[in-house]
Amino acid sequence: MIDKADVGLIGLAVMGCNLVLNLEDHGYRVAVFNRTVERVDEFLDDAGASRSIIGTHSLDSFVAALEKPRKIIAMIKAGAPVDALLDALLPLLDPGDIVVDGGNSLFTDTERRVARAAEDGIHYLGIGISGGEEGARFGPSMMPGGSLEAWDRVKDMLEDIAAVAQGEPCATWLGPGGSGHFVKMVHNGIEYGDMQVIAEAYDIMRRGFGMTPAEMQPVFAEWNRGRLDSFLIEITADIMGTTDDDGEPLVDIVLDAAGQKGTGKWTVIASMEESAPATLVAEAVYARIISENVEERIAAGTVLGTMVRPIEGERARLIADLEDALYASKIVSYAQGFMLFAAASEQHEWSLDPGTIASLWRSGAIIRSQFLNEITTAFRVRPGLPSLMIDSFFAEALLVAEPGWRRTVTRALEAGVPIPAYASALSFFDGYRSPRLPANLIQAQRDSFGAHTYERVDRPRGEFFHSDWSTDHGRDEGEGAPS
């Protein structure tokens, strides 16, 4: 009798293949299936002879190869393909079986699928997985949400294959429903922001300071030895030092059109729905959209001119200020991301723990960094912290970085180098700490043209008033209901 598999995996693209090998390394027998069945045989040939991987060529044979209760991981494209798989798979399963969606599914889709599977007694987990192909192979960061009973049954297996940070596996159940995929979505949004603030530093050095990639390489390498120590800074230093066959910087021949798969947009949409500003992520998404219009930008430059003036000054001082701008903007971006977690957790009754989320990203994840240790500590010391920006460590860091941050923004704007992330982060920093904002005028305008009412600074919150602004300059019409 052939031994059954401990777990099954569907979807043998790069991430799926590497997860299978990771599972096998940790002693698990894995059954595999792929919609294009030829890929199964190709993978088995590439992996070499192994008694721990069972190739199957139909969903029926795949399901039959699994030990009951079955554990199935799907690593397929998000959206309609997941629903199509469930349509075919769920009728083959028994109550108590577990389905794990390890792709980048929209969290609302996961919420729906959790409920659908539960109708048949099937446990469903939506797990965000970060780390790319290397992480999948040797230890990713995993963000599980959905059925707690399912998590309890796959916990040991997933902790075995996860990355580890300070002795803690980077895989912990976060909450019910679509919470895991929500956390992964925001992780990806923050990743967009991290990449944008690094790109803006590169652009300022390139066009403002007139530096070559070879000159930038030691700057990024030095930053990676300090407070900006992170995977993304590390690979940026590597990129700056990479040349083509002719010895020219390879980055210089890469077309300046950045792609995206949607998770950044989803983060911005969710931030609007939850009334939690994610302004830096939004600017990062819009920067990618602008970059895609290459021909239109070139044409616009011929009409409007392309103005980039050299930024003068001692290079070491300019670079130090630039580091301050990058670091401070990064703090703001993460603060906004965790404010979004708090708003969504309350709205969806997820009880997300910010310290746990930060701890999962410290290793394995694309945004892994030394910086995340400080975030983990901040939320573990003060779980109800409303914003990272008022934590003592980060507040001091922002105030120390502020002068260099402002000088960098001013220099870039005067030089004509676009810095949407740095500028929006600085504006958020100023707005967040302002006791008085011009929203009083906006509310007065709303009341003037639409009788939307307003509150008063000399009366308790929750009392609303309407005035006739056009005839007697604000004669109070008394209390009214907000509109």
Side-chain angles (χ1 to χ4, degrees):
M1 179 179 179
I2 299 176
D3 291 338
K4 301 270 188 172
D6 303 304
V7 60
L9 188 139
I10 299 172
L12 293 174
V14 173
M15 289 288 287
C17 290
N18 283 318
L19 277 177
V20 172
L21 297 176
N22 191 348
L23 286 160
E24 184 191 31
D25 284 349
H26 287 84
Y28 294 97
R29 187 170 172 82
V30 189
V32 298
F33 174 70
N34 195 77
R35 182 174 61 87
T36 305
V37 294
E38 292 81 5
R39 179 62 189 135
V40 174
D41 297 327
E42 292 172 1
F43 170 64
L44 292 177
D45 288 341
D46 292 341
S50 171
R51 292 180 298 173
S52 297
I53 302 177
I54 304 171
T56 66
H57 297 86
S58 69
L59 268 182
D60 291 280
S61 60
F62 170 77
V63 170
L66 298 173
E67 188 71 47
K68 295 183 180 181
R70 304 175 183 92
K71 304 177 184 71
I72 298 170
I73 302 172
M75 297 297 299
I76 64 175
K77 185 178 179 180
V82 180
D83 288 315
L85 173 63
L86 292 179
D87 287 342
L89 181 61
L90 290 182
L92 304 177
L93 302 183
D94 298 319
D97 288 347
I98 297 169
V99 176
V100 175
D101 176 8
N104 278 331
S105 288
L106 181 61
F107 77 98
T108 49
D109 288 342
T110 303
E111 296 258 300
R112 170 175 55 79
R113 292 166 187 151
V114 168
R116 175 188 176 184
E119 293 176 357
D120 296 327
I122 309 299
H123 302 296
Y124 196 91
L125 285 171
I127 300 185
I129 300 177
S130 178
E133 59 182 291
E134 181 181 354
R137 181 66 184 87
F138 299 109
S141 167
M142 290 187 278
M143 293 148 261
S147 166
L148 179 56
E149 183 177 342
W151 167 248
D152 287 338
R153 285 166 44 194
V154 299
K155 174 177 179 289
D156 291 344
M157 178 180 68
L158 295 184
E159 286 183 347
D160 282 346
I161 67 170
V164 176
Q166 299 185 8
E168 299 177 352
C170 295
T172 301
W173 186 76
L174 295 170
S179 58
H181 275 139
F182 186 91
V183 170
K184 178 56 162 57
M185 175 190 75
V186 177
H187 163 284
N188 285 19
I190 290 173
E191 180 184 308
Y192 275 52
D194 275 358
M195 295 171 76
Q196 180 64 28
V197 296
I198 295 170
E200 289 181 16
Y202 158 75
D203 201 20
I204 289 172
M205 284 191 276
R206 181 175 64 98
R207 294 198 288 169
F209 302 168
M211 295 172 65
T212 66
E215 291 173 316
M216 291 183 233
Q217 193 279 333
V219 174
F220 284 110
E222 179 62 27
W223 285 354
N224 195 50
R225 289 188 286 269
R227 58 184 173 170
L228 290 173
D229 173 14
S230 66
F231 173 70
L232 287 171
I233 291 288
E234 176 186 349
I235 66 170
T236 301
D238 292 341
I239 290 168
M240 293 300 112
T242 302
T243 57
D244 64 11
D245 293 339
D246 297 324
E248 297 300 317
L250 185 57
V251 69
D252 283 351
I253 63 171
V254 176
L255 183 68
D256 55 324
Q260 54 185 313
K261 292 187 176 180
T263 46
K265 294 179 184 178
W266 293 349
T267 302
V268 176
I269 293 169
S271 76
M272 294 179 178
E273 292 175 340
E274 304 297 344
S275 298
T279 58
L280 194 146
V281 176
E283 291 295 351
V285 172
Y286 289 129
R288 293 194 187 193
I289 293 172
I290 292 170
S291 79
E292 292 170 355
N293 299 319
V294 178
E295 293 78 12
E296 187 174 343
R297 285 189 286 111
I298 293 172
T302 64
V303 177
L304 302 173
T306 301
M307 183 200 77
V308 176
R309 301 189 182 97
I311 296 175
E312 305 292 342
E314 180 190 1
R315 182 170 288 182
R317 181 67 261 171
L318 296 175
I319 289 174
D321 285 351
L322 180 57
E323 181 185 4
D324 282 339
L326 197 165
Y327 187 59
S329 298
K330 183 180 176 85
I331 292 172
V332 170
S333 181
Y334 280 71
Q336 291 180 337
F338 279 87
M339 292 164 75
L340 176 54
F341 284 142
S345 183
E346 181 177 359
Q347 172 68 25
H348 299 283
E349 299 181 345
W350 285 336
S351 299
L352 294 176
D353 179 68
T356 296
I357 293 171
S359 74
L360 297 182
W361 297 345
R362 292 177 297 173
S363 182
I366 295 298
I367 62 172
R368 59 187 181 270
S369 66
Q370 175 65 31
F371 179 82
L372 284 159
N373 289 319
E374 301 295 345
I375 297 178
T376 301
T377 299
F379 283 117
R380 285 181 172 175
V381 170
R382 189 178 170 188
L385 182 68
S387 171
L388 281 173
M389 293 170 65
I390 61 172
D391 169 74
S392 58
F393 176 88
F394 291 106
E396 180 180 0
L398 285 167
L399 294 173
V400 168
E402 181 186 354
W405 189 9
R406 289 190 185 282
R407 287 192 293 266
T408 297
V409 169
T410 300
R411 289 171 185 140
L413 292 175
E414 290 178 344
V417 179
I419 44 159
Y422 294 172
S424 69
L426 184 57
S427 291
F428 182 83
F429 171 73
D430 287 334
Y432 185 71
R433 62 180 182 160
S434 293
R436 182 79 169 170
L437 290 169
N440 56 316
L441 174 58
I442 293 172
Q443 197 59 21
Q445 291 170 330
R446 294 182 73 242
D447 188 53
S448 176
F449 68 66
H452 293 295
T453 75
Y454 59 91
E455 296 173 276
R456 298 173 57 113
V457 297
D458 57 354
R459 299 295 292 271
R461 293 295 306 269
E463 292 186 22
F464 294 88
F465 300 84
H466 167 62
S467 295
D468 183 352
W469 297 88
S470 60
T471 57
D472 56 7
H473 306 288
R475 179 174 58 83
D476 185 9
E477 296 292 336
E479 186 171 357
S483 301

